[in-house]
Amino acid sequence: MKNNLNNIALLILRLGFGGFMLTHGIPKISNLSDPSQFPDPLGVGPMASLILCLIGEVLAPILIIIGFKTKWAAVPAAITMFVAGFIVHANDDLGKKEHALLYLIAFVVILLTGAGKYSVDGMRK
């Protein structure tokens, strides 16, 4: 029974944090038409920054939600939230960077635990 509850908890974690991350990432897709105003915190250029952000905030969360290659998908999502929390919002107070840090913690947990039984990864075992 405990193992089943752990799998349900991982499903809730994946659906919740992956789904809410999409609400941050999907609106950024419109920046593809003019990426020049997108922030460039790593100095790689606005277009590259936007693409990396979309990978971390759209593609990776979709994979996390369905539980496909979940541990791998959690890496760009966690990196994106690390950059948001510690670089983009470096000079902001904790209240401003709190969301990014909460997402970072959740994606690190997903990276460490995997998707659980109720996922594409879990069905393949």
Side-chain angles (χ1 to χ4, degrees):
M1 180 68 176
K2 181 182 178 194
N3 192 31
N4 196 42
L5 290 177
N6 288 343
N7 285 308
I8 291 170
L10 289 172
L11 174 64
I12 293 168
L13 184 72
R14 288 188 358 257
L15 293 176
F17 279 92
F20 280 123
M21 179 54 66
L22 288 175
T23 68
H24 293 280
I26 289 174
K28 291 178 178 140
I29 293 172
S30 65
N31 291 332
L32 285 169
S33 62
D34 180 21
S36 64
Q37 300 303 312
F38 195 78
D40 182 20
L42 301 177
V44 296
M47 179 59 106
S49 291
L50 176 59
I51 290 170
L52 291 171
C53 185
L54 291 174
I55 290 169
E57 292 187 9
V58 178
L59 179 61
I62 290 170
L63 295 175
I64 289 168
I65 288 169
I66 64 173
F68 181 70
K69 301 291 184 185
T70 310
K71 288 186 174 190
W72 284 104
V75 172
I79 291 170
T80 302
M81 291 301 97
F82 181 89
V83 170
F86 293 108
I87 298 174
V88 174
H89 296 290
N91 297 322
D92 295 337
D93 62 6
L94 184 60
K96 184 75 172 170
K97 60 177 89 176
E98 179 181 7
H99 282 115
L101 298 179
L102 288 172
Y103 281 111
L104 172 61
I105 291 167
F107 291 134
V108 168
V109 169
I110 292 168
L111 170 64
L112 296 173
T113 61
K117 182 170 93 174
Y118 304 115
S119 65
V120 174
D121 292 343
M123 291 187 318
R124 298 182 338 181
K125 290 181 180 179

